[in-house]
Amino acid sequence: MNIKVLKLITAEELIGEWDQEKSSILNPVVMVPVAQDKIGFQPWIPLGQDEEIFIKDQHIMAVVTPDTKLQNEYNRVFGSGLIVPDEEKIIH
């Protein structure tokens, strides 16, 4: 899975499985603060039924890789459930 956070020109931040070639995002959600140091996921377009949404390049300000905790939570809810190891905790 290619999980990315997209910052849109509307100031919205989405997280989902990003396909750069198609400029599409699968299962996009917005991140909503629910408590100190905790966030929840809310569907980006709650009444839409499409899992894949195409976004025009001119509406995207930035595409970044989420930190490990955020990526793991997204995978737990929407993906394979696989946990990405935290690089800082890996003993070399």
Side-chain angles (χ1 to χ4, degrees):
M1 292 181 80
N2 187 29
I3 306 303
K4 296 291 183 183
V5 174
L6 278 66
K7 177 79 167 188
L8 304 181
I9 61 172
T10 59
E12 294 171 294
E13 291 184 6
L14 309 177
I15 184 170
E17 188 172 349
W18 176 242
D19 184 330
Q20 185 173 353
E21 289 181 17
K22 297 191 314 184
S23 289
S24 70
I25 189 166
L26 285 173
N27 298 316
V29 294
V30 291
M31 297 165 280
V32 180
V34 293
Q36 185 175 353
D37 297 330
K38 298 208 183 260
I39 62 161
F41 295 140
Q42 176 178 323
W44 181 39
I45 304 174
L47 299 177
Q49 64 180 8
D50 298 332
E51 290 181 4
E52 182 177 25
I53 298 177
F54 298 87
I55 301 174
K56 293 182 180 180
D57 290 338
Q58 65 263 30
H59 294 155
I60 301 169
M61 291 178 56
V63 178
V64 299
T65 302
D67 69 21
T68 303
K69 284 176 33 179
L70 182 57
Q71 190 172 17
N72 286 340
E73 184 61 17
Y74 184 87
N75 279 331
R76 185 185 69 75
V77 175
F78 294 99
S80 63
L82 295 176
I83 303 298
V84 177
D86 189 346
E87 288 293 322
E88 295 175 6
K89 295 180 181 175
I90 295 176
I91 300 173
H92 296 279

